[in-house]
Amino acid sequence: MSNNKITISQITYTLIFWACFLLLPFLFFPHGHQQSAFDSNRFVSWYVFSIVYLVAFYYFNSAILIPKLLAYKKTLLYTVVILALLSFYLTIYFLIGKYAAETIEFVAGHPKRPPRGFWEIFFSFGPTFLFLITFTFSSVSKIISRWFI
């Protein structure tokens, strides 16, 4: 009976986490002045890319990286892989923002304002926070399930 309760609680926590996670980009990604965030092609591109990438990263980290690298105390390699995945995520985020039609249209309409640079977008709070929260939850969930359940 206790295994059944653990399974139900794990499923409940997982569903709550993913429901909250799917709403986070609405807080952190700019979507212009449209009535709905989904009217912005840039936002939709960021949202779809982020959700697909971060869900894949969540399971990749908890199912492969932690058991294959961290469990065998290969912390330097694990850290390098995580930083490479973060860099890739932020680079794609930057490229979506830079080449979106809305950005090009905005820059053309405001010639005196320089476009946001690579480092400004690369280290922006929203996508970095989403990646780090995904990293934290995938790591913690794997460690808790491995050591305590």
Side-chain angles (χ1 to χ4, degrees):
M1 186 71 166
S2 66
N3 283 342
N4 190 22
K5 287 182 184 178
I6 291 172
T7 304
I8 291 171
S9 67
Q10 285 176 329
I11 291 171
T12 304
Y13 291 137
T14 302
L15 290 175
I16 290 170
F17 168 75
W18 286 119
C20 292
F21 181 77
L22 292 173
L23 296 175
L24 281 176
F26 290 98
L27 297 174
F28 295 112
F29 291 170
H31 53 80
H33 302 291
Q34 290 82 4
Q35 295 294 328
S36 168
F38 290 105
D39 290 340
S40 167
N41 290 332
R42 179 178 56 196
F43 175 82
V44 171
S45 299
W46 275 335
Y47 184 78
V48 169
F49 167 72
S50 289
I51 295 303
V52 169
Y53 187 85
L54 294 174
V55 167
F57 170 72
Y58 178 92
Y59 289 107
F60 180 66
N61 186 40
S62 62
I64 296 173
L65 292 179
I66 291 174
K68 301 286 186 203
L69 297 178
L70 206 54
Y72 292 105
K73 299 182 180 167
K74 297 178 182 178
T75 53
L76 181 62
L77 180 58
Y78 178 75
T79 304
V80 168
V81 169
I82 294 297
L83 291 175
L85 291 170
L86 172 62
S87 297
F88 177 76
Y89 173 68
L90 294 176
T91 301
I92 298 299
Y93 176 85
F94 167 76
L95 293 173
I96 290 171
K98 181 174 181 169
Y99 294 110
E102 293 168 43
T103 306
I104 294 168
E105 189 176 297
F106 177 81
V107 170
H110 298 83
K112 293 182 181 177
R113 182 169 185 232
R116 292 173 62 185
F118 177 74
W119 295 111
E120 185 180 345
I121 292 178
F122 193 78
F123 291 110
S124 61
F125 176 74
T128 304
F129 176 78
L130 288 175
F131 185 89
L132 293 178
I133 199 85
T134 305
F135 168 72
T136 302
F137 276 102
S138 67
S139 300
V140 168
S141 68
K142 182 61 175 183
I143 291 168
I144 288 174
S145 69
R146 188 173 186 140
W147 287 348
F148 300 110
I149 297 178

